[in-house]
């Protein structure tokens, strides 16, 4: 990311309450606080999930930012505010804090068992209607050729290590987690919003986690090694130069999700859309990912992701499957159609 794009990205993450004040000192508190604090008017409420962001208050000239408890999430916002020139004091949660906060957000009516639980970009995969749950988390179960598949949408951000605790809570209710979302790529050929990524390993917190990838033989997707970093601001030019030949993908969550699945003895796989390329030679990146044209293109490729997930769940190995998906992607690339949906 260029210096200009990084500044734009960080500026967009500063709470509006602080933009409107002369506050120079910020205290970051690991507390999920949606009342008695100011909710940002820039929250993306046009989304059903992943729109709740840190809240804020100002007292005696000091700003307080309340973030959902998570080491990486605190670290991420600390680096953002420091990059923008604020003096920052941060408090970090312990594991019990994260567990208890995650537990409080869980709906009481979650299905007791699912063959598969899908996390991440679930609304376009499962549809807009007929969701159950509460104000923080909603779920929808679909029977896919006899496989009970529950899509779980979370309205707050389970950034970085937070997803470890979300999956730990869900682990007793399933044998497999599929995580569908977005990530960054270090490979020059991976075009943002036109490349579907998967893999079977991630470096997280100094440890390499490996797993059996459900999508290892899926067509269209590109495969590679992954690394989980606490913050986008850790994706420096020096880090890129050091890892560009050994790491293909990067995001904050995949490694933590895989580690939680391993620790809880359940299976894990991910299927993500590349939405940013660290080479920086593409017009589409983290600064414009909510633009209408970008979202339109992204929805087309989410349709392909949906088809791949459905076929993997039912273990469809018919020879025509790769041909159908390849023909579909060619038409999508030419702007002739949206992907066919498998319902």
């Amino acid at each position: 990311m260029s210096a200009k794009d990084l500044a734009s990205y960080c500026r967009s993450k500063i709470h509006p309450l602080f933009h409107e004040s002369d506050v120079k000192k910020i205290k970051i508190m690991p507390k999920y606080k949606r009342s008695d604090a100011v909710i940002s008017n820039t929250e993306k409420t046009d989304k059903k999930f992943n729109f709740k962001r840190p809240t804020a208050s100002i007292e005696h000239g000091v700003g307080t930012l309340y973030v959902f408890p998570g080491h990486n999430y605190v670290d991420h916002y600390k680096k953002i505010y420091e990059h923008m020139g604020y003096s920052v004091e941060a408090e970090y949660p312990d594991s019990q804090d994260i567990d208890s906060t995650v537990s409080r957000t869980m709906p009481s009516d979650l299905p007791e068992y699912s063959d598969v639980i899908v996390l991440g970009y679930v609304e376009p995969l499962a549809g807009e209607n007929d969701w159950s749950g509460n104000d923080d988390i909603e779920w929808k179960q679909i029977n896919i050729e006899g496989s009970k598949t529950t899509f779980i949408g979370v309205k707050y951000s389970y950034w970085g290590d937070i997803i470890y605790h979300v999956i730990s809570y869900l682990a007793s209710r399933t044998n497999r987690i599929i995580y569908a979302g977005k990530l960054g790529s270090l490979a020059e050929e991976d075009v943002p919003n036109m490349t579907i990524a998967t893999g079977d390993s991630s470096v997280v917190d100094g440890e390499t986690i490996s797993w059996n990838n459900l999508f290892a033989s899926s067509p269209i997707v590109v495969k590679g090694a992954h690394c989980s970093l606490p913050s986008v601001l850790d994706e420096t030019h020096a880090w890129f130069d050091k890892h560009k030949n050994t790491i293909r993908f990067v995001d904050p969550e995949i490694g933590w999700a895989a580690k939680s699945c391993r620790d809880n003895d359940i299976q894990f796989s991910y299927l993500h859309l590349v939405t940013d390329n660290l080479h920086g030679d593409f017009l589409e990146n983290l600064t414009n990912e909510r633009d209408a044209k970008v979202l339109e293109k992204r929805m087309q490729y989410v349709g392909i992701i949906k088809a791949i997930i459905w076929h993997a769940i039912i273990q469809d190995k018919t020879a025509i499957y790769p041909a159908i998906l390849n023909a579909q992607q060619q038409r999508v690339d030419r702007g002739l159609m949206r992907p066919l949906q498998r319902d």
Side-chain angles (χ1 to χ4, degrees), residues 19-229:
H19 279 310
E20 300 161 2
S21 73
D22 58 358
V23 163
K24 300 297 181 184
K25 184 175 181 179
I26 302 292
K27 184 174 184 180
I28 300 179
M29 296 290 294
K31 185 175 183 180
Y32 187 44
K33 189 172 184 178
R34 299 292 294 180
S35 59
D36 299 323
V38 177
I39 295 174
S40 172
N41 58 14
T42 63
E43 288 190 344
K44 301 165 187 173
T45 53
D46 57 327
K47 299 196 298 181
K48 187 176 181 66
F49 302 117
N50 189 24
F51 67 88
K52 293 184 176 182
R53 293 296 180 263
T55 56
S57 66
I58 298 175
E59 188 173 353
H60 305 304
V62 177
T64 301
L65 188 74
Y66 303 98
V67 308
F68 197 99
H71 283 267
N72 292 166
Y73 208 35
V74 170
D75 204 38
H76 177 54
Y77 273 96
K78 182 175 186 291
K79 290 172 181 174
I80 287 172
Y81 276 80
E82 287 176 338
H83 187 81
M84 297 305 295
Y86 290 90
S87 172
V88 182
E89 176 187 343
E91 182 176 315
Y92 289 84
D94 60 29
S95 183
Q96 187 176 0
D97 292 333
I98 307 173
D99 275 336
S100 61
T101 306
V102 166
S103 180
R104 288 197 300 270
T105 66
M106 288 291 171
S108 59
D109 60 348
L110 275 175
E112 292 186 5
Y113 178 76
S114 306
D115 295 298
V116 180
I117 287 179
V118 181
L119 296 174
Y121 215 41
V122 292
E123 183 182 6
L125 296 177
E128 298 179 3
N129 302 319
D130 302 320
W131 291 80
S132 302
N134 60 27
D135 189 51
D136 287 315
I137 294 175
E138 295 186 29
W139 62 271
K140 180 177 182 179
Q141 190 170 85
I142 298 175
N143 190 312
I144 301 176
E145 302 288 339
S147 176
K148 292 182 179 179
T149 304
T150 300
F151 297 81
I152 296 181
V154 181
K155 299 182 183 182
Y156 54 84
S157 174
Y158 42 69
W159 186 279
D161 57 313
I162 299 171
I163 198 172
Y164 180 97
H165 300 267
V166 171
I167 290 175
S168 291
Y169 182 94
L170 298 172
S172 64
R173 299 171 184 265
T174 189
N175 292 320
R176 184 188 296 276
I177 296 287
I178 293 175
Y179 184 27
K182 58 184 183 178
L183 47 58
S185 175
L186 285 70
E188 191 171 10
E189 63 269 27
D190 293 344
V191 180
N193 300 303
M194 295 178 66
T195 305
I196 299 172
T198 191
D200 59 11
S201 70
S202 178
V203 178
V204 57
D205 202 28
E207 181 183 8
T208 298
I209 310 293
S210 300
W211 59 89
N212 293 321
N213 182 15
L214 180 65
F215 307 110
S217 60
S218 295
I220 294 179
V221 304
V222 297
K223 305 173 184 70
H226 175 274
C227 180
S228 281
L229 292 179

Side-chain angles (χ1 to χ4, degrees), residues 184-188 239-240 243-244 247-250 278-279:
S185 175
L186 285 70
E188 191 171 10
W239 183 86
F240 172 80
H243 297 285
K244 62 184 178 182
I247 297 294
R248 187 166 188 169
F249 306 124
V250 61
L278 274 64
H279 275 269

